[in-house]
Amino acid sequence: MKTISVEHLCRVEGNGGISATIDGKKVTEVKFNIYEGPRLIEQLTIGRTPEEDVSLAPRICAICTLSHKNAVLRAIEKALSVKVPKKTILMRELMHMGEIIESHSLHIFLLALPDYLGYPNAIAMAAKYDLEVKIGLEMKNFGNHIMKTISGRYIHGENPVIGGFGKFPDKKDLLWIKSRAQQFMPFVLKTVSLFCELDYPEIPEDETLYACCDPGNGKFGFWGEKILLSNGESIPADDYKKLTNEFVVSHSYAKHSLYKGKPYSVGALARINNLGERLDGEAGRKFKKYFNEHWKKNPLYHNAAQALEILYCFERIPVLVKKILKDENTPKIIPYSVKEGKGTGLVEAPRGLLIHHYEIKNGLVSNVDIITPTAQNAEDIERYCYIATQKLLDEGQEEKIRDRMDLVVRAFDPCISCSAHSAQVRQGKTDEWKSKLETILTHEEPAFLGIGNFRQGDDAVGIFIGKQLRDAGQKNVWLESSTNEMESFWKSNAGKPVIFLDAIDFQEKPGTVTFLPLLYALNNSSLVHKFSPFVTGPLKYNQLKKSYILGIQPASLKRGKTISPCVKKATREVLETLKSRQKKNRHFKDKE
Amino acid sequence: MENSKLKIGIYELTGCAGDALLILDCEKELIDIFNAADIQSFVMAKSDNIEGDLDIALVEGSVTTEKEIEELKDIRQRSKIVVAIGLCATVGGIQARFLDPKEWNERFKKVYGNIEMTHTKPVQSKPIDAYIDVDFYLPGCPIGKEQFLIFFTRILKGNPPEKSQNPVCVTCKYNENDCLLKKGILCLGPLTEDGCGAICINHNLPCAGCWGPLKTGNRTSEYYLLKEKGFDVEHIKKKMANYSGTKIASFLKELEKEKK
């Protein structure tokens, strides 16, 4: 067993690392470690006035500060029923463009490009790629300038407040921004062709689900009232928890998220995949020219997507400035008096979907929930690193693993400060596993494998369910406890999806049932149960991908104990669900 | 020539990384910064980092895990000068607000449950001078561009940097702003360290206190003045505590005692 790891991820924002554990020819674990410590931001924003929270919450992150500002403002203004005028919204959009340009150009030119040109940093790169570094720096400077002009500071500007702005920028400053954006165009187009034509490696490629805000009206943009998924589903802002089931893992102070048990991606690539068709002007032409199948499944194309978005922003800025200047009689701050309510704000931060949710009672904030893009991407970051590592191993290119993982993580442009802000521990819906199981059984005919140890308290539960299931007449049920069976199990089920029945510790109430992709369970150290290599050893990647684990949270794993009552109760529930499913099937077959 | 350059390391502990980012935000000066000194370690900006002896270490972020305590002590050992940059390193940041260990524990459990962290143990957020000696402080949330460049050029030339001892009000008056306190708006200017340029008040907004508490600020008398003006006592306390980290702990304790 050996571990390949990048201890300190360089050229990302914050403090994190990634590691892959390899056993012979198989990757057994990939972990995206967040060393950034806990800050409990949501806890310290509770009990404050809404105005204080507008100042405090953006401190989560320096580079996404205005995205946080926009998200907290959208949420709180909704909660307090404050309707801001059009000019205010346009100004907020303009400052958001500044942040997108600043963050994207920092990432693609100064943090990511050195990888592709073979340099340790952008300054070393400057000797030969003088123009590229200069464009990057100038562009970043321009983005920063917009942020400062409108928000008051480069980082953590306080000018945007509930109801509007403390002060509007001067007309001449806005006109300067407009003309500068137009001057920049040739360099922006150069940027797009540079990053859309880079030679991105094909490993790792795999399909995923993309999520982003839907700006509405068939337009491209960076906020909205709905979340749009690449499978066509649409989720209203207030139901955001349907998408983001945040949960705690033990190797990180950032929480992870899964949608219906599967990882999903957010960020520039998600936006271009979901909304790219809506781009017009030069950005639309470039989208049609460069977008292809690879963009749909290769996270390294995040860099290309970011370049396209920079172009969109540069085209949008002159339009925005023109509209802002037309409106001269808008009040700076809209007064408000409401003291109670709740609201959710959705914003596309440079690195993806950002959600702020506030509840206000008696003029003070009583509940806060903040979900950041990197926390949502964490699962997919681990999964793509897993795929890359396994494929490179299969191809005998082990020496490339470390750098490739580094490349994949950096492509997601992770913002580690954001992700480690930490959220409330949330329990998933108690019977969500039923619907997930139902979906799998409708499409597949999986084998069941009960695993565990009969002499170790609740660990016996997997074998127990397996036996009962078999007695009830379910086909294709196997038990780990019988050695003979294990030998023939893999022979007769090669390539088939497998549902593992087991006790797993996922930090829930004893007796809670969960249904997870096996890939996730293997990747995640917080699921304390370790599979013996004997069980998962012969599993091929393709099979692994479509296998699941049906787990029950044990109360005790002590030797010599029997199954505890709460776990037994859960067992009955699992059995009944599977049996009723069986009946339906039989019924179905009889009809045929 | 190469050897005569000062060896500098820039480190991030827990925070928003805004101070390191601000150094990268000096776009026009960035190449000069990298040429004027020998930047040995700057994880956010480069990957060929060397962790050896340093002349100057700039540390941002507060200490919130056991691993960071070790890391910090190691940085101290190999550096001649250690500079705390930003609010988190100087006062502990907004996350240092839960002063009582019991309260912190409860809050931590609310967020992360009973999970046992496998990679590094959490500790209550503290400024870096809770663990090591610090030579200079650059306050601010985040630090300012001008402030950093002045500090950086001075220290490269071997001049000890100057420390401002003024409240925000001094610059605010130079800017000819109307006093917000007189208009009945709770502004923290008198208690907050100067250096930001009184930006918020320039934008007609009250000072939030984000540069941290001024050492010589007269908190007690300000507290009673605000109370007299009719502001809610709890609100005053919270506002004073938001950006003060662990630094006004004894003052807040005094107030609590008085209540009893």
Side-chain angles (χ1 to χ4, degrees):
Chain A
M1 190 93 81
K2 72 184 220 180
T3 305
I4 299 178
S5 62
V6 185
E7 264 291 321
H8 260 291
L9 284 166
C10 299
R11 287 181 275 129
V12 299
E13 200 260 359
N15 201 346
I18 187 131
S19 66
T21 309
I22 295 166
D23 190 359
K25 280 278 157 212
K26 226 175 82 62
V27 186
T28 53
E29 194 174 58
V30 174
K31 280 199 279 185
F32 178 42
N33 293 300
I34 303 282
Y35 304 123
E36 195 93 20
R39 294 175 74 201
L40 318 183
I41 298 263
E42 276 155 332
Q43 287 294 315
L44 56 88
T45 42
I46 290 176
R48 296 313 209 231
T49 61
E51 293 79 9
E52 280 176 286
D53 277 3
V54 169
S55 161
L56 284 170
R59 253 80 185 185
I60 290 171
C61 174
I63 196 159
C64 322
T65 172
L66 289 183
S67 298
H68 282 287
K69 188 73 97 186
N70 269 327
V72 55
L73 285 172
R74 284 177 73 83
I76 287 185
E77 281 171 358
K78 218 189 273 176
L80 302 179
S81 317
V82 182
K83 281 231 151 51
V84 290
K86 217 172 153 196
K87 181 171 175 176
T88 302
I89 298 173
L90 292 171
M91 289 247 298
R92 285 182 185 166
E93 190 180 346
L94 182 58
M95 74 178 190
H96 199 75
M97 300 271 146
E99 181 167 289
I100 298 268
I101 292 173
E102 194 267 343
S103 174
H104 279 8
S105 58
L106 169 69
H107 178 248
I108 58 177
F109 280 106
L110 305 179
L111 307 182
L113 192 58
D115 282 329
Y116 295 92
L117 301 178
Y119 290 89
N121 64 58
I123 305 296
M125 194 172 85
K128 205 172 158 199
Y129 294 92
D130 184 36
L131 182 65
E132 281 78 2
V133 173
K134 271 197 187 141
I135 295 178
L137 285 172
E138 281 291 331
M139 214 180 249
K140 183 174 168 314
N141 182 270
F142 178 58
N144 255 332
H145 177 85
I146 299 176
M147 290 165 77
K148 190 183 175 208
T149 308
I150 299 175
S151 81
R153 254 200 295 212
Y154 292 109
I155 299 170
H156 302 330
E158 301 278 1
N159 193 24
V161 290
I162 303 172
F165 286 89
K167 195 179 164 189
F168 283 150
D170 291 342
K171 188 176 172 185
K172 66 170 186 347
D173 290 337
L174 287 171
L175 285 175
W176 188 87
I177 289 174
K178 184 179 161 207
S179 66
R180 180 80 171 155
Q182 286 159 336
Q183 271 172 20
F184 239 110
M185 257 318 182
F187 299 103
V188 177
L189 292 174
K190 202 174 158 60
T191 305
V192 172
S193 47
L194 172 65
F195 284 94
C196 290
E197 287 165 18
L198 264 188
D199 199 9
Y200 296 106
E202 276 188 22
I203 297 176
E205 286 203 343
D206 195 38
E207 258 149 47
T208 189
L209 185 72
Y210 290 109
C212 72
C213 286
D214 185 351
N217 300 331
K219 288 208 168 111
F220 195 88
F222 296 104
W223 51 58
E225 288 306 317
K226 275 188 238 155
I227 301 168
L228 183 67
L229 305 181
S230 53
N231 63 7
E233 282 177 58
S234 176
I235 302 170
D238 290 330
D239 295 342
Y240 70 93
K241 284 183 188 174
K242 274 190 190 160
L243 174 71
T244 63
N245 288 295
E246 273 196 325
F247 55 93
V248 180
V249 296
S250 64
H251 58 281
S252 160
Y253 288 111
K255 296 185 174 179
H256 287 204
S257 286
L258 290 172
Y259 178 64
K260 294 187 177 165
K262 284 183 179 164
Y264 61 93
S265 282
V266 297
L269 190 56
R271 291 189 289 262
I272 295 294
N273 262 291
N274 289 0
L275 310 172
E277 292 285 344
R278 305 181 182 185
L279 287 169
D280 50 14
E282 200 54 51
R285 279 192 285 282
K286 293 290 181 209
F287 170 78
K288 280 190 195 88
K289 182 173 172 195
Y290 290 115
F291 189 80
N292 59 34
E293 283 303 304
H294 294 296
W295 291 59
K296 293 181 186 166
K297 46 194 180 182
N298 190 340
L300 299 177
Y301 280 81
H302 263 116
N303 299 322
Q306 285 185 331
L308 263 188
E309 284 192 340
I310 291 179
L311 173 58
Y312 165 78
C313 291
F314 272 93
E315 281 186 294
R316 178 87 178 138
I317 287 170
V319 182
L320 281 174
V321 171
K322 224 171 151 185
K323 281 189 183 168
I324 291 170
L325 289 177
K326 245 191 220 164
D327 229 330
E328 278 186 350
N329 300 321
T330 305
K332 285 190 214 93
I333 300 178
I334 297 292
Y336 54 96
S337 55
V338 183
K339 299 269 184 218
E340 289 200 341
K342 54 182 170 181
T344 308
L346 302 182
V347 163
E348 283 292 326
R351 39 202 60 64
L353 181 62
L354 170 67
I355 304 163
H356 276 231
H357 175 83
Y358 294 80
E359 284 165 33
I360 299 161
K361 265 190 197 137
N362 303 322
L364 292 180
V365 172
S366 60
N367 196 13
V368 183
D369 191 12
I370 299 169
I371 296 169
T372 61
T374 302
Q376 297 174 68
N377 276 335
E379 279 295 321
D380 244 0
I381 290 177
E382 285 184 357
R383 191 173 65 98
Y384 276 112
C385 282
Y386 177 94
I387 295 166
T389 312
Q390 186 65 57
K391 283 219 171 128
L392 289 171
L393 259 188
D394 292 346
E395 292 176 8
Q397 306 192 63
E398 205 178 317
E399 73 288 349
K400 281 193 184 163
I401 291 175
R402 192 180 180 280
D403 285 351
R404 189 61 55 86
M405 284 204 299
D406 210 9
L407 207 64
V408 172
V409 179
R410 197 170 302 125
F412 277 92
D413 192 7
C415 182
I416 289 166
S417 312
C418 264
S419 58
H421 79 285
S422 78
Q424 210 77 22
V425 178
R426 199 168 21 245
Q427 309 209 326
K429 264 189 220 139
T430 41
D431 51 357
E432 209 180 336
W433 60 274
K434 285 185 189 167
S435 55
K436 286 185 198 164
L437 185 62
E438 184 83 9
T439 328
I440 302 299
L441 293 178
T442 327
H443 301 295
E444 308 264 11
E445 274 186 24
F448 289 88
L449 178 62
I451 49 181
N453 188 331
F454 233 107
R455 274 168 235 93
Q456 273 190 338
D458 292 337
D459 200 17
V461 78
I463 308 271
F464 180 76
I465 299 181
K467 271 193 176 158
Q468 298 260 331
L469 214 54
R470 195 184 275 177
D471 292 347
Q474 174 77 36
K475 274 179 207 154
N476 213 358
V477 180
W478 305 72
L479 301 175
E480 187 200 12
S481 53
S482 151
T483 323
N484 300 343
E485 280 188 25
M486 284 315 293
E487 277 171 5
S488 45
F489 173 76
W490 294 110
K491 274 182 207 148
S492 36
N493 288 300
K496 264 192 200 162
V498 181
I499 293 182
F500 288 77
L501 308 163
D502 194 11
I504 53 170
D505 184 1
F506 54 106
Q507 310 288 331
E508 275 287 356
K509 246 196 257 157
T512 315
V513 184
T514 188
F515 191 68
L516 290 172
L518 184 63
L519 186 61
Y520 169 64
L522 288 178
N523 273 353
N524 200 318
S525 69
S526 74
L527 305 178
V528 176
H529 189 102
K530 290 275 181 287
F531 295 97
S532 71
F534 186 51
V535 175
T536 54
L539 211 55
K540 289 274 175 334
Y541 179 66
N542 270 341
Q543 193 174 9
L544 181 72
K545 230 170 66 165
K546 47 186 180 178
S547 292
Y548 289 83
I549 181 159
L550 182 65
I552 298 178
Q553 172 75 40
S556 153
L557 297 175
K558 279 218 182 88
R559 229 163 224 292
K561 280 208 168 174
T562 50
I563 300 179
S564 41
C566 55
V567 174
K568 215 159 205 170
K569 199 176 149 217
T571 315
R572 276 197 292 278
E573 216 180 324
V574 172
L575 277 171
E576 264 157 38
T577 313
L578 284 170
K579 274 187 199 162
S580 71
R581 174 76 216 166
Q582 226 179 328
K583 263 184 209 152
K584 261 192 228 163
N585 266 0
R586 226 175 266 155
H587 183 65
F588 185 63
K589 271 178 196 153
D590 287 348
K591 261 190 182 172
E592 272 186 342
Chain B
M1 266 310 279
E2 199 63 32
N3 293 336
S4 65
K5 285 182 186 170
L6 289 181
K7 287 185 178 151
I8 292 181
I10 299 164
Y11 297 94
E12 295 162 56
L13 305 177
T14 294
C16 75
D19 309 299
L21 183 68
L22 192 118
I23 298 175
L24 290 185
D25 280 353
C26 303
E27 296 94 0
K28 299 218 156 97
E29 300 85 4
L30 196 62
I31 294 180
D32 289 337
I33 291 175
F34 269 77
N35 286 335
D38 177 8
I39 311 275
Q40 295 247 316
S41 175
F42 190 174
V43 172
M44 194 202 238
K46 62 196 215 87
S47 47
D48 53 342
N49 297 306
I50 308 163
E51 303 307 340
D53 286 345
L54 294 171
D55 292 302
I56 304 159
L58 304 174
V59 183
E60 94 149 82
S62 69
V63 184
T64 54
T65 65
E66 283 182 355
K67 188 168 172 261
E68 286 177 342
I69 301 178
E70 282 168 35
E71 210 181 316
L72 187 64
K73 286 185 175 160
D74 174 54
I75 292 170
R76 178 69 264 189
Q77 243 175 15
R78 48 198 177 80
S79 318
K80 287 182 198 151
I81 296 172
V82 172
V83 189
I85 58 169
L87 187 83
C88 292
T90 52
V91 312
I94 56 171
Q95 63 269 27
R97 211 196 81 208
F98 303 115
L99 299 168
D100 177 19
K102 225 172 144 191
E103 191 191 358
W104 184 85
N105 258 326
E106 273 167 28
R107 301 276 182 170
F108 185 84
K109 272 194 186 150
K110 261 193 199 160
V111 175
Y112 292 100
N114 283 321
I115 196 163
E116 192 63 38
M117 286 294 168
T118 52
H119 63 321
T120 164
K121 282 226 158 53
V123 295
Q124 228 177 315
S125 177
K126 283 191 181 146
I128 63 170
D129 62 5
Y131 298 100
I132 59 162
D133 289 332
V134 172
D135 301 293
F136 298 108
Y137 296 87
L138 277 190
C141 184
I143 55 171
K145 224 183 220 188
E146 227 173 85
Q147 170 203 24
F148 171 73
L149 289 173
I150 292 172
F151 170 84
F152 194 71
T153 38
R154 284 191 79 118
I155 208 162
L156 281 188
K157 298 274 175 209
N159 295 330
E162 274 171 11
K163 191 175 164 25
S164 137
Q165 285 295 339
N166 295 331
V168 170
C169 300
V170 172
T171 311
C172 187
K173 293 288 108 38
Y174 283 142
N175 294 346
E176 300 181 353
N177 292 319
D178 283 343
C179 183
L180 292 181
L181 280 164
K182 279 192 175 164
K183 289 185 190 166
I185 299 169
L186 213 176
C187 177
L188 281 185
L191 300 179
T192 306
E193 200 150 326
D194 194 12
C196 65
I199 303 173
C200 289
I201 309 102
N202 298 348
H203 285 85
N204 306 317
L205 300 168
C207 170
C210 75
W211 276 50
L214 180 70
K215 234 185 186 171
T216 53
N218 190 347
R219 266 168 286 281
T220 319
S221 117
E222 180 73 13
Y223 172 77
Y224 287 109
L225 268 175
L226 292 172
K227 209 171 140 185
E228 244 171 60
K229 274 190 168 285
F231 291 109
D232 174 45
V233 181
E234 282 306 306
H235 185 54
I236 303 172
K237 272 196 267 179
K238 278 186 199 164
K239 204 147 183 196
M240 282 186 174
N242 276 345
Y243 291 95
S244 290
T246 60
K247 295 290 175 176
I248 61 164
S250 57
F251 167 74
L252 290 173
K253 236 183 217 166
E254 288 288 307
L255 284 187
E256 283 305 310
K257 259 189 225 158
E258 190 186 281
K259 213 164 83 181
K260 279 163 198 165

